[in-house]
Amino acid sequence: MKVNVKFNLNGQQVELETEAGRTLLEVLRNEFNLTGTKKGCGEGDCGACTVLLDEKAVNSCLTLIPKVNGCNVTTIEGVGEDGLDPIQHSFVEHGGIQCGFCTPGMIMSTKALLNENPSPAEGEIRKNLAGNLCRCTGYAKIVDSIMKLSDK
Amino acid sequence: MPLNIVGKRIPRVDAVEKATGGAKFLDDYSFSNMLIGKILRSPYPHAKILNIDTSRALKLPGVKAIVTAGDLPEGRYGAYVKDQPVLARGRVRFVGEPVAVVAAIDEDVAKDALKLITVEYEELQPVFDPIEAMASDAPIIHEKLQDYIAVYDAVRYGNVCSKITFKEGNIDEGFSKSDFVLENTFKTPHVHQCYLETWGAIADWDASGRITIWTTTQSPHVTQIRTSEALHIPMNKIRVIGTRVGGGFGGKVEPTVQPICVVVAKKAKRPVKIVLDREEDLLATRPRHASQVKIKDGVTKNGLLMARSIEVIYDTGAFADDGPGVAGFGAMMSLGPYKIPNYHIDSYAVYTNKLPTGAYRGFGNPQVTFAYESHMDMLAGKIGMDPLELRIKNACENGDKSVGGIVMPSVGIKECLRKAAETAGWGKHPKKNRGMGIASLQHISGVLSSSAIVRINEDGTAMVSTGAVDIGQGSDTALTQIAAEGLELPFEDVTLIAADTASTPYNWAVAASRVTYTAGNAIKIAADDAKRQLLELASKQLGAAVEQLFIKERKVISRETPEKCISIRDLGAISHWVTGGPIIGKGSFMVEGHKHDPEKVKGFPFGTMAGFIFGAHVVEVEVDEETGNVQIINAVAAHDVGKAVNPIGVEGQINGGFVQGVGYALTEEMIFDKNGKVVNTNFLDYKIPTFMDVPMIHPLIVEEKDPTGPFGAKGVGEPGLVATAPAIANAIYNAIGIRFKELPMKPEKIWKALLEKEK
């Protein structure tokens, strides 16, 4: 079944006619060539596919494309378009990135958190990012990168 | 000479591209005309293949090619014992074994095609438990075991793929001289690396019969040779390009999908991409060997270790894969960083009808370390000694010999123990249900060979190449630092190029914690060679003796007459256009030299190893009596790395390894059904640590320089994981007085044990 979907993608209005059963993750990667958003599990368990849907962090692998009609979608490519966003800069400076596969999702979840709470405590960071798995860093330097943002 | 670049906390060279989502991983690549490949897998653990009918599947619109073993030459690959076919030939040996591969216009058509392939099987008796597999009446999984090519003198029989023995001294005498002798059995489960990026490859044959493979791998060179030996394609016709790796941890050293992708691309005459979904990756790739360790230790009442005997059985699954290496290395690590004069170690890699197990951070060491470091605390308890004191008392020092007699020039274990204990507040009075535990570890960071090339460009900047992919550990950055320091050029003037077998010289693999030490040494040699050529050219240009010359701020200057100077840029240009020819430095490094004493070892699958590294972990836990849940209150990990090339990178490795160790200790295990099939193939049911499961980790860097490492450096890739589980087990014992000898120490197990204890 085909649907016509109109939404705002990284600040630009886009329109697409496609199968209703496709996920936002698959559409972003294959229709719009925005490969920054990753597939880690396809089942909503790992957070590698996190994007912002109307400023809230969602798993794009569990979001069916009709749901984004009329919404704002922000992917990692829409973050820091004029140089690095402070979150990206902090991750780079403080070792919050290793293999980089979880990184886009981590940064999107961090953005959603900081939009609501600009100075989260360590416990709040851990709780809000618990849906993003990382296998490389042990989470330590990711927490550190985010804490150091609020120091400014 | 003071160091300007090595030792500095330089942000990773690949951090920005990863932060912006611009870094391309395998699945981010698409080629025109590309097909999608999907693999048909065996539903049985042990069966004959009587017939495969692909006719219905071939008729499905959109299907372009199907390949089975019948289309392929006879060929088997394997790192140590070459027993593994690309696709199952006549027989399947585990649930999930690849039987056929389909290439189609999209994933949906490929999946539909799999359902239309009919395979007729005749079931055979399977065996799932390695101890049962060792019995004389067990079904034999590899009848032709003796005929397979092995790269070492393998002791193999029945379902024992490989047996390794280390012996020294007189074990019976050692026990008789001991005041206390303890004997226990420890068990560990299969656990999976769970890299966030699943396996993938793209294969494309060109018009002159050469194949290019893009793949997420820890070694393009290993992928190249396995493809060659399995499919009888000469290596000069195979090119493997390493794409950015989203985690490996050992799981991506040996191939899984690449040779399969190659064969279906050939039949389809189009590029084919195969990417595993998470379920497939957990079902049928290469997790850690489950183990059973029987350990017997003898100690005097004054705390001197006199004798140790160990029997380790590693479940290597349906194919050898890294089994012999794991069993051999685990055996070699069984004494730990301690002086024990009498020992007998027997280690086995045993075939079973489950998925083939392979390399995962620690490579056989976490299993034995869990056993012997738990045992150290049990011994300390017997003799009434502080566990920290018992470890320091028996610890090795610089110049001591490892198991089998290899000299270890740099041994920082005592400092690791003291530093970790002090930072963690060892010895403080515990609260109820809280406890602190300590564990040591030993590992290596030098094995096999690496090579490197350094080229000086026409403008005086430099290109460095070695076949090492950055798998997240930071090697691109650390190796660039080593090269820049060696060349005495600024860091930003040096670029490390991506691993590609067509252009980067051989590096065995990014594994075994070896890249800093082994590839680093090759790069240092190449950089020194290029620098020597630069200075010789400068000497001729300036009319000054080479010994007089030094490099500073991109210039070569004469000490005697400082007005005599020439820029590296000019030297670059002159070498290309005027005299001498382009400057190319080369470095080739093989870990050799001190070998095991042949009297002390049998069946060991490596030549030798070097770059011995050490660490100590101290963990404080709190156990919830109501739920059995273990909360980690404090985590300290001290590691002897020789010289930290990039401290941010070293800390990241320690942190990450430690947290994987927490998963190993408390929550991770692969669960098998009665057919030996992995059933918890998703992140909901296979539980890796999240942000909520660990506190901040405190990594401590100890630098006991190794004279054989580049600028004294050794590795740190794996050790972060190795000592965590026993440190936690010891902490739990100190918290609630219960000794757990099986991993994982899940909440329900702890809760049940607490109930038992109350009775």
Side-chain angles (χ1 to χ4, degrees):
Chain A
M1 189 188 99
K2 293 247 188 220
V3 288
N4 189 289
V5 184
K6 289 191 182 79
F7 59 102
N8 189 296
L9 176 57
N10 293 332
Q12 285 211 332
Q13 274 298 115
V14 296
E15 187 173 345
L16 182 70
E17 187 169 310
T18 191
E19 294 295 320
R22 288 175 86 181
T23 65
L24 175 59
L25 173 65
E26 199 262 309
V27 165
L28 286 171
R29 288 178 58 81
N30 296 317
E31 292 297 330
F32 294 99
N33 290 318
L34 295 172
T35 58
T37 308
K38 306 299 181 195
K39 179 180 177 185
C41 71
E43 295 175 302
D45 291 324
C46 76
C49 68
T50 308
V51 298
L52 299 187
L53 185 61
D54 287 344
E55 318 323 312
K56 295 273 185 249
V58 298
N59 286 316
S60 61
C61 73
L62 294 181
T63 307
L64 293 179
I65 197 65
K67 185 150 170 99
V68 314
N69 195 41
C71 296
N72 289 330
V73 173
T74 314
T75 70
I76 187 70
E77 290 89 348
V79 170
E81 286 192 63
D82 269 325
L84 293 179
D85 179 286
I87 298 173
Q88 291 167 314
H89 186 83
S90 194
F91 271 62
V92 168
E93 282 299 302
H94 298 114
I97 301 171
Q98 285 185 223
C99 83
F101 199 78
C102 77
T103 304
M106 281 292 172
I107 289 175
M108 299 319 288
S109 288
T110 304
K111 204 153 184 52
L113 168 63
L114 295 181
N115 282 342
E116 302 245 318
N117 179 354
S119 295
E122 184 183 334
E124 289 168 303
I125 294 173
R126 288 184 182 277
K127 188 165 175 196
N128 279 276
L129 263 58
N132 289 81
L133 297 179
C134 173
R135 201 53 163 163
C136 292
T137 64
Y139 305 105
K141 288 190 191 293
I142 295 177
V143 173
D144 199 41
S145 299
I146 300 170
M147 304 268 297
K148 291 211 153 78
L149 272 168
S150 337
D151 287 350
K152 298 202 169 99
Chain B
M1 236 182 87
L3 298 172
N4 297 309
I5 303 166
V6 163
K8 297 288 188 279
R9 302 180 74 93
I10 299 178
R12 301 172 63 111
V13 295
D14 50 350
V16 171
E17 68 172 64
K18 289 172 176 176
T20 57
K24 284 174 99 78
F25 296 82
L26 190 283
D27 199 22
D28 301 333
Y29 290 97
S30 247
F31 300 133
S32 62
N33 213 27
M34 192 174 78
L35 299 169
I36 302 297
K38 278 267 170 236
I39 298 168
L40 180 70
R41 298 178 180 278
S42 167
Y44 296 110
H46 202 192
K48 283 190 199 154
I49 299 174
L50 299 176
N51 188 46
I52 306 179
D53 181 356
T54 59
S55 55
R56 281 189 312 144
L58 279 166
K59 290 197 191 99
L60 188 68
V63 171
K64 300 300 176 188
I66 301 181
V67 177
T68 65
D71 301 309
L72 307 176
E74 287 261 3
R76 288 175 184 268
Y77 65 91
Y80 301 90
V81 172
K82 298 184 193 295
D83 61 358
Q84 196 160 4
V86 174
L87 293 168
R89 183 181 289 281
R91 187 136 149 210
V92 289
R93 293 177 170 88
F94 71 98
V95 172
E97 183 171 354
V99 171
V101 56
V102 169
I105 53 170
D106 64 38
E107 195 179 348
D108 289 333
V109 173
K111 279 183 173 166
D112 287 342
L114 292 185
K115 294 184 198 142
L116 297 175
I117 300 176
T118 318
V119 185
E120 241 182 284
Y121 293 99
E122 181 190 308
E123 286 186 69
L124 298 169
Q125 180 67 30
V127 57
F128 300 117
D129 181 294
I131 293 170
E132 279 173 35
M134 287 169 89
S136 53
D137 59 349
I140 294 297
I141 298 173
H142 286 273
E143 282 108 359
K144 298 216 174 84
L145 178 57
Q146 300 301 334
D147 299 340
Y148 296 143
I149 298 168
V151 305
Y152 64 108
D153 202 0
V155 174
R156 42 182 155 162
Y157 53 91
N159 285 321
V160 173
C161 172
S162 196
K163 178 185 178 186
I164 298 97
T165 302
F166 282 97
K167 263 199 289 203
E168 188 168 353
N170 185 324
I171 193 87
D172 296 318
E173 205 182 288
F175 286 128
S176 68
K177 287 196 181 139
S178 306
D179 296 307
F180 296 99
V181 175
L182 271 188
E183 212 171 332
N184 282 283
T185 301
F186 294 84
K187 289 186 183 166
T188 65
H190 288 77
V191 290
H192 198 278
Q193 302 85 347
C194 292
Y195 28 77
L196 262 277
E197 180 211 18
T198 59
W199 267 106
I202 300 172
D204 188 20
W205 288 83
D206 69 21
S208 43
R210 288 178 305 206
I211 177 75
T212 302
I213 307 167
W214 290 260
T215 184
T216 176
T217 177
Q218 292 175 242
S219 180
H221 291 273
V222 167
T223 306
Q224 184 191 28
I225 194 166
R226 298 286 173 257
T227 303
S228 173
E229 65 196 13
L231 299 172
H232 304 303
I233 305 169
M235 285 178 77
N236 62 328
K237 307 278 191 220
I238 303 173
R239 177 180 180 189
V240 182
I241 298 170
T243 52
R244 282 258 171 250
V245 180
F249 314 110
K252 292 179 179 167
V253 176
E254 293 297 320
T256 57
V257 303
Q258 302 93 320
I260 298 174
C261 206
V262 164
V263 304
V264 74
K266 184 156 197 212
K267 197 145 192 206
K269 296 192 174 68
R270 285 166 70 165
V272 177
K273 179 199 271 193
I274 296 180
V275 173
L276 296 189
D277 63 30
R278 182 59 60 184
E279 182 184 356
E280 234 181 327
D281 202 295
L282 284 166
L283 177 80
T285 58
R286 315 167 47 247
R288 187 191 297 288
H289 295 63
S291 78
Q292 175 181 281
V293 183
K294 282 193 183 156
I295 177 170
K296 184 174 174 185
D297 275 335
V299 68
T300 68
K301 59 182 186 288
N302 296 319
L304 274 180
L305 289 168
M306 295 302 294
R308 170 172 291 171
S309 86
I310 282 196
E311 179 202 78
V312 199
I313 297 172
Y314 290 100
D315 182 342
T316 203
F319 294 100
D321 198 296
D322 271 323
V326 164
F329 184 64
M332 187 177 149
M333 293 289 108
S334 290
L335 293 193
Y338 304 118
K339 293 185 260 234
I340 307 179
N342 305 291
Y343 57 86
H344 183 140
I345 303 159
D346 282 323
S347 182
Y348 301 84
V350 182
Y351 286 121
T352 62
N353 290 111
K354 304 205 293 295
L355 74 176
T357 40
Y360 176 9
R361 204 171 201 162
F363 205 73
N365 196 5
Q367 294 92 324
V368 298
T369 304
F370 173 60
Y372 75 69
E373 279 299 280
S374 297
H375 228 219
M376 281 301 264
D377 265 36
M378 294 167 87
L379 291 168
K382 268 282 188 241
I383 61 178
M385 190 181 253
D386 178 327
L388 169 64
E389 205 192 315
L390 179 65
R391 287 171 168 84
I392 292 180
K393 187 160 191 151
N394 291 279
C396 289
E397 287 159 324
N398 291 354
D400 279 341
K401 288 187 182 169
S402 78
V403 162
I406 302 180
V407 172
M408 306 184 287
S410 134
V411 180
I413 182 63
K414 282 189 184 173
E415 200 188 331
C416 288
L417 282 162
R418 291 197 178 105
K419 216 167 165 172
E422 193 189 311
T423 305
W426 183 262
K428 70 181 182 200
H429 195 74
K431 287 192 209 168
K432 184 168 192 270
N433 292 333
R434 274 209 189 180
M436 223 183 256
I438 191 167
S440 317
L441 71 100
Q442 174 193 39
H443 207 81
I444 60 96
S445 61
V447 68
L448 297 172
S449 69
S450 295
S451 53
I453 294 172
V454 170
R455 291 180 284 132
I456 307 295
N457 292 321
E458 288 151 273
D459 68 351
T461 57
M463 309 303 292
V464 182
S465 56
T466 181
V469 284
D470 193 317
I471 59 171
Q473 87 288 37
S475 57
D476 276 4
T477 312
L479 294 179
T480 306
Q481 285 175 267
I482 291 173
E485 189 81 62
L487 287 166
E488 297 184 61
L489 286 179
F491 180 74
E492 58 271 22
D493 284 8
V494 180
T495 295
L496 185 88
I497 70 177
D500 173 344
T501 59
S503 57
T504 56
Y506 182 84
N507 170 53
W508 166 58
V510 170
S513 311
R514 68 188 286 282
V515 175
T516 300
Y517 180 89
T518 319
N521 265 325
I523 286 184
K524 174 100 186 359
I525 295 168
D528 287 345
D529 184 13
K531 187 165 72 176
R532 179 188 54 76
Q533 294 176 59
L534 276 168
L535 293 177
E536 277 169 9
L537 181 61
S539 161
K540 288 201 187 91
Q541 296 295 307
L542 298 174
V546 166
E547 303 74 49
Q548 280 302 312
L549 299 175
F550 69 99
I551 298 176
K552 188 178 176 175
E553 285 161 13
R554 298 186 176 100
K555 287 200 272 284
V556 179
I557 305 166
S558 161
R559 237 175 245 115
E560 229 170 30
T561 333
E563 308 84 68
K564 281 193 180 173
C565 74
I566 184 166
S567 69
I568 307 279
R569 186 190 190 94
D570 283 351
L571 290 168
I574 291 167
S575 64
H576 282 79
W577 296 102
V578 182
T579 179
I583 291 173
I584 303 175
K586 77 170 171 74
S588 201
F589 184 77
M590 167 70 85
V591 175
E592 58 185 331
H594 284 115
K595 278 188 187 306
H596 285 129
D597 181 340
E599 297 292 304
K600 298 176 182 156
V601 60
K602 189 166 183 199
F604 189 68
F606 296 97
T608 186
M609 294 183 175
F612 287 86
I613 42 185
F614 302 89
H617 291 184
V618 178
V619 184
E620 187 177 357
V621 304
E622 183 169 309
V623 181
D624 184 326
E625 270 179 12
E626 302 276 309
T627 61
N629 209 53
V630 175
Q631 196 195 342
I632 311 224
I633 306 293
N634 196 25
V636 177
H639 284 265
D640 167 22
V641 302
K643 169 75 192 166
V645 173
N646 188 321
I648 307 180
V650 171
E651 290 161 4
Q653 285 293 76
I654 295 172
N655 293 340
F658 190 96
V659 171
Q660 280 184 318
V662 171
Y664 191 43
L666 298 176
T667 58
E668 293 181 40
E669 63 175 338
M670 298 185 90
I671 298 173
F672 296 87
D673 69 10
K674 60 176 171 45
N675 279 325
K677 177 185 173 184
V678 184
V679 292
N680 55 337
T681 51
N682 58 70
F683 284 143
L684 192 61
D685 297 323
Y686 182 92
K687 299 179 192 298
I688 72 173
T690 70
F691 274 97
M692 303 289 285
D693 297 312
V694 288
M696 251 343 193
I697 315 297
H698 300 289
L700 304 171
I701 296 175
V702 168
E703 292 178 321
E704 190 60 48
K705 289 217 179 75
D706 188 320
T708 64
F711 304 106
K714 301 187 282 190
V716 75
E718 295 165 279
L721 188 154
V722 173
T724 311
I728 292 176
N730 290 337
I732 291 174
Y733 179 81
N734 290 328
I736 58 174
I738 300 175
R739 170 61 58 187
F740 291 93
K741 296 189 252 181
E742 270 189 55
L743 296 179
M745 298 174 285
K746 298 201 299 198
E748 55 260 46
K749 273 195 208 162
I750 295 181
W751 175 76
K752 277 186 191 161
L754 281 165
L755 284 180
E756 275 296 311
K757 191 176 176 214
E758 251 171 64
K759 289 183 188 161

